[in-house]
Amino acid sequence: MQLRHLLPLLVFSLSLSACSSEPPSPAVAAAPADSDAAELAPFFEGRNGAFVLLDPQAQRVIRHNPQRAQTAFLPASTYKIPNTLIALETGVANGPAFALERDDAVAPPQAWWPPRG
């Protein structure tokens, strides 16, 4: 499956597992869990994380640690993950050396931030 097909699912799973305080919609809750969920466990070894992937076409949900996925958390910088993948996929970013200039007028540096190096 190509990256562009996974991005909407990744965004959905991040929003569901990271910041949702509402229970999942009936369509998500009613979708059968996939037996592949056990294969995700090695990726979470030693970490208390959650993952939810909805495949609406196949009417299935793959879950790891569904109890944690039901807990509300601030999304923090999780949006950077799909944004980075989109930038790489579309060619906007060309690799690890790609950088964007920060506009201090839009968001001035805070006193508690580490100095730029």
Side-chain angles (χ1 to χ4, degrees), residues 6-20 22-25 27-34 37 40 44 49-56 60-71:
L6 288 177
L7 286 175
L9 298 172
L10 175 64
V11 172
F12 172 78
S13 68
L14 288 173
S15 66
L16 185 60
S17 66
C19 63
S20 176
E22 298 293 320
S25 70
V28 174
D34 191 355
L40 294 174
F44 289 90
F51 181 82
V52 178
L53 180 98
L54 170 65
D55 183 350
R60 68 180 188 162
V61 177
I62 299 172
R63 296 181 181 101
H64 174 79
N65 199 351
Q67 294 79 18
R68 183 172 172 87
Q70 292 295 319
T71 305

Side-chain angles (χ1 to χ4, degrees), residues 17-97:
S17 66
C19 63
S20 176
S21 60
E22 298 293 320
S25 70
V28 174
D34 191 355
S35 60
D36 295 337
E39 294 180 19
L40 294 174
F43 295 105
F44 289 90
E45 197 168 295
R47 294 174 184 86
N48 186 19
F51 181 82
V52 178
L53 180 98
L54 170 65
D55 183 350
Q57 292 176 341
Q59 287 292 303
R60 68 180 188 162
V61 177
I62 299 172
R63 296 181 181 101
H64 174 79
N65 199 351
Q67 294 79 18
R68 183 172 172 87
Q70 292 295 319
T71 305
F73 294 96
L74 291 175
S77 291
T78 56
Y79 69 89
K80 292 178 182 176
I81 297 167
N83 286 352
T84 301
L85 294 172
I86 291 167
L88 289 167
E89 176 81 10
T90 60
V92 171
N94 56 5

Side-chain angles (χ1 to χ4, degrees), residues 102-110 113:
R102 177 170 163 67
D103 187 352
D104 290 340
V106 173
Q110 303 297 309
W113 289 4

